Amino acid sequence: MEQHPSCLAMKKPNPNRRYSFKSILIILSLVLPACKSTKELPVAQTAPLLEKPKNIVLLIGDGMGLSQISGLIYSQKDASSFEAFPVIGFHKSYSYDDLITDSAAGATAFSCGVKTFNNAVGLNKDTLPELTILEEAEQYGLSTGLIATSSIVHATPAAFIAHQPMRTMYEAIAADFLKTEIDFFLGGGEEYFNNRKTDKRDLIQELKAKNYNVLHDYSDFVPKKFNPEKNLAFFTESKHPTSAIAGRNYLANAASLALDFLENHGEKGFFLMIEASQIDWGGHSNDETMVIREMQDFDRTIKRVLEYARKKGDTLVILTADHETGGFSLQPGSKFGNIKGGFTTNGHTASLVPVFAFGPAAKTFSGIYENTNIHKLMRLALGFVQAETEKNQN
Ligand SMILES: [Zn+2]
């Protein structure tokens, strides 16, 4: 197709020409699909934008490449949240030992700013622990949070809080949570905390002893106010949460809950990582319906975060993926509202990954760069780089 449908819609009809009823019908059938509902198109920033963000929300769509985003956009009438981001860049996702990264190394690049070997979380290529952006945010007195639609000890959230050579060391990763003062975490995997095989520790009791409010709600909860004095550990499943197709839809509410909780939990701002974990699983199982449904769940969640950021003006929202999964593409025969997806692999691919940014310091995220650069740009935006320089000068 030479031109995008919307370009077609722009062609001005010749006023002198007489149109048969049939040709009017044809023109309408061409123009109408392009006229997406404008209801949700990006609205202007409501609160004035600060120069330096007080808060950062990092949104990671695990396995989400450009085709997964295109599939979402062409599967629904409403404009997607992706179309509301003023700044777009691309990152190179390869890890230290492979052009094709896994989620552990991919997330460690974001959390620690290093290229490491696949399967490692929070460790560098020499298997030494690296300070994560979440741990550093705590050192600067910010509040911190992690949310996932997988178990909370799965590769991506683990890379922000744990330091282990193998992403499958779930119980060791769970124990690493106790070595931090993370203020809020939500996801599955409760059994790695209180039904442990490697030791007889009960990390739920240990969390409570550390003044955590520990909740278990395996149904789809409605956010309510929690005592902001206490840190919050929220388990949504003993193992992995179910899929969006199977009815899981807590992510958008969890995002709203976390934003409200972290905002009221401290003065100095917050760092929050939200992962849509199961886009990747749809890619691995070459299940296009699952990919699109997980993308739709993620889109709803991103819209909640953007709403918050627009209202506050002090929050940098970064949206990206660790890698693409499945070699997904939109095939011939695809129609608006009914795409035909195809896959070239059950694994991850090395495609460049899009990065979307909104809010203070967003403009620094344009261009093509290493995935590790996202860590550097977050430290820069939060003022950690300057603070460190000043500390070294004194
Ligand atoms: Zn994967």
Side-chain angles (χ1 to χ4, degrees), residues 89-199:
F90 286 91
H91 78 70
K92 300 174 194 172
S93 62
Y94 64 88
S95 64
Y96 174 72
D97 61 348
D98 202 322
L99 183 56
I100 311 276
T101 190
D102 81 321
S103 297
T108 299
F110 298 152
S111 66
C112 301
V114 296
K115 295 270 187 186
T116 190
F117 51 96
N118 282 359
N119 291 305
V121 290
L123 299 182
N124 62 26
K125 62 180 173 44
D126 308 316
T127 69
L128 299 172
E130 291 276 345
L131 183 71
T132 75
I133 186 86
L134 183 141
E135 292 166 331
E136 189 171 16
E138 284 192 354
Q139 290 176 357
Y140 281 96
L142 277 72
S143 300
T144 58
L146 293 173
I147 298 176
T149 52
S150 62
S151 80
I152 200 64
V153 294
H154 206 244
T156 305
F160 286 84
I161 194 166
H163 305 277
Q164 299 294 338
M166 283 302 292
R167 53 186 287 173
T168 49
M169 300 165 72
Y170 298 129
E171 294 192 1
I173 291 168
D176 282 349
F177 275 67
L178 277 291
K179 295 175 188 158
T180 75
E181 302 307 323
I182 182 170
D183 303 280
F184 178 102
F185 64 90
L186 183 147
E190 185 175 4
E191 70 164 25
Y192 302 114
F193 289 76
N194 64 1
N195 181 12
R196 297 166 59 84
K197 312 285 181 295
T198 53
D199 59 31

Side-chain angles (χ1 to χ4, degrees), residues 62 103 280 284 323 325 348:
D62 198 310
S103 297
D280 175 65
H284 282 298
H323 54 75
T325 301
H348 299 168

Side-chain angles (χ1 to χ4, degrees), residues 3 7 15 18 123 150 204 242 322:
Q3 287 185 307
C7 314
R18 289 277 150 276
L123 299 182
S150 62
I204 302 288
T242 54
D322 45 359

Side-chain angles (χ1 to χ4, degrees), residues 7 30 132 204 232 243 279 287 312 328-329 347 373:
C7 314
L30 279 176
T132 75
I204 302 288
L232 187 56
S243 70
I279 301 164
D287 179 342
K312 301 290 174 181
F328 185 60
S329 66
N373 196 42

Side-chain angles (χ1 to χ4, degrees), residues 335-357:
K335 298 256 180 308
F336 286 101
N338 177 14
I339 61 142
K340 297 245 170 306
F343 297 89
T344 60
T345 173
N346 291 98
H348 299 168
T349 68
S351 306
L352 289 181
V353 176
V355 183
F356 302 82

